[in-house]
Amino acid sequence: MKSRFEAKEYEFLELESRETEDGTILSIFLNNPSSRNSMTWKMGEEFSDLIHSIRKQKHLPRAVIVSGRNDVFCAGGDLNLLRSFSEKSFSQNRRDMRKFYGFFLSVRKLPVPVIAAVNGHAIGAGLSLTFGCDLRIFASDGKYSFNFVRLGIHPGMGSSYLAPELLGKSLGGRILLTGETFDGNTAKEWGLALDAVPKVSVYERAMELALSLSKASPLALQELKGNLYSWKQLDSALKKEAESQARNFISDDFKETIQSIIEKRDPKFKGK
């Protein structure tokens, strides 16, 4: 019999719950096997719906783990979704991007500890999702990057706020400006990841952490989470990101990005 958290079927998400003497540990897996768990609009709607349903539960889970199926965490925005943005107007994209960010970053509104079990590569918006969680376990050999500027667009999914928040303006700005790729061991050195372990051990390590957190007072953790983060500041950043990306999406440079992805080559930007 499925638990109350697993009662609904999702197309792009899988759920697992583990019952302990202290309560439930809920695991959410991104699952889009056709494109390395890339983020689609439907996945976002499902993710937001799930987070909302968890928040409404009378008995909350003691901790939530967010991970990925298919030996990868998340490859970022889906190509078809990105292509659709290049075909919309500035005002449509500004509205839609803000909504899209909200789907996934709703995870930050969960009043329980959220652990990102980053079991493989996490790129762009996929990496941003891990920054929106409270704690992170990275695959030591996973590849991680905010590659937005290399795609001709302003960083999104809250990364322009979350990266400096977690890493400071110098290092946070560096990984946003350069779009450089780093591995899990480097993430641990920076203090971004609590731990970096082999890919096959990431989820197990995250579960160990979740079980440890479940021993703490849930009321105290809920109060702490409410005091740790400012949704107002993040929301302000999301609005600015949506407007900046909306301008980028109607540029010739972004059309060149889409074409270069299709042709599997590096883009040649001209600043138009």
Side-chain angles (χ1 to χ4, degrees):
M1 182 177 178
K2 290 186 176 182
S3 76
R4 62 187 182 278
F5 297 112
E6 297 178 281
K8 188 172 181 178
E9 296 290 338
Y10 292 101
E11 182 179 355
F12 293 111
L13 303 175
E14 287 188 11
L15 307 181
E16 290 182 5
S17 60
R18 177 171 173 175
E19 301 301 325
T20 75
E21 61 181 15
D22 297 301
T24 301
I25 307 297
L26 179 66
S27 297
I28 305 170
F29 297 92
L30 307 182
N31 186 30
N32 187 1
S34 66
S35 59
R36 297 178 297 168
N37 297 344
S38 62
M39 293 170 159
T40 66
W41 192 271
K42 180 66 179 299
M43 179 192 284
E45 289 179 326
E46 291 182 350
F47 194 87
S48 178
D49 176 78
L50 173 58
I51 298 301
H52 180 66
S53 67
I54 295 171
R55 294 177 67 195
K56 290 194 303 181
Q57 294 291 331
K58 181 178 180 181
H59 299 289
L60 293 168
R62 300 302 289 267
V64 171
I65 297 172
V66 179
S67 193
R69 296 296 194 199
N70 318 305
D71 291 323
V72 66
F73 184 80
C74 180
D78 179 76
L79 176 58
N80 289 328
L81 180 66
L82 294 175
R83 183 186 288 132
S84 73
F85 293 145
S86 71
E87 299 167 352
K88 295 179 182 179
S89 68
F90 168 80
S91 59
Q92 287 176 311
N93 279 325
R94 180 174 58 183
R95 178 196 64 217
D96 290 349
M97 291 313 300
R98 177 62 191 87
K99 189 171 185 179
F100 188 64
Y101 301 152
F103 286 154
F104 290 97
L105 292 179
S106 60
V107 71
R108 201 157 202 189
K109 294 183 177 180
L110 280 177
V112 301
V114 182
I115 304 163
V118 195
N119 60 309
H121 304 336
I123 307 298
L127 183 57
S128 299
L129 175 58
T130 76
F131 277 45
C133 298
D134 302 306
L135 298 165
R136 285 153 292 280
I137 307 296
F138 276 58
S140 52
D141 62 347
K143 302 302 181 185
Y144 309 105
S145 172
F146 285 124
N147 65 336
F148 295 103
V149 294
R150 295 180 180 269
L151 298 178
I153 53 177
H154 185 284
M157 195 61 75
S159 56
S160 66
Y161 174 83
L162 295 169
E165 179 191 55
L166 290 174
L167 296 171
K169 284 191 176 182
S170 180
L171 182 52
R174 170 183 138 188
I175 63 175
L176 291 170
L177 288 166
T178 65
E180 67 183 87
T181 299
F182 55 93
D183 62 19
N185 289 323
T186 301
K188 183 179 179 180
E189 290 174 8
W190 288 344
L192 176 61
L194 180 66
D195 204 354
V197 297
K199 179 187 295 187
V200 296
S201 302
V202 168
Y203 181 72
E204 180 183 1
R205 179 69 181 89
M207 180 59 72
E208 290 175 359
L209 179 58
L211 291 171
S212 175
L213 290 168
S214 71
K215 300 294 184 182
S217 162
L219 293 178
L221 289 175
Q222 289 173 37
E223 291 289 338
L224 176 58
K225 282 208 63 173
N227 292 327
L228 274 176
Y229 306 121
S230 170
W231 180 259
K232 184 177 180 180
Q233 291 180 0
L234 176 57
D235 188 55
S236 177
L238 295 180
K239 291 176 182 177
K240 293 177 181 177
E241 287 183 352
E243 185 165 331
S244 294
Q245 284 198 339
R247 279 193 290 270
N248 296 147
F249 285 139
I250 59 176
S251 70
D252 289 344
D253 274 357
F254 189 67
K255 291 181 175 64
E256 165 63 10
T257 291
I258 297 299
Q259 194 61 33
S260 69
I261 294 173
I262 294 171
E263 297 176 2
K264 297 182 180 180
R265 59 172 174 81
D266 292 333
K268 298 179 181 179
F269 298 130
K270 297 181 179 179
K272 296 182 180 180

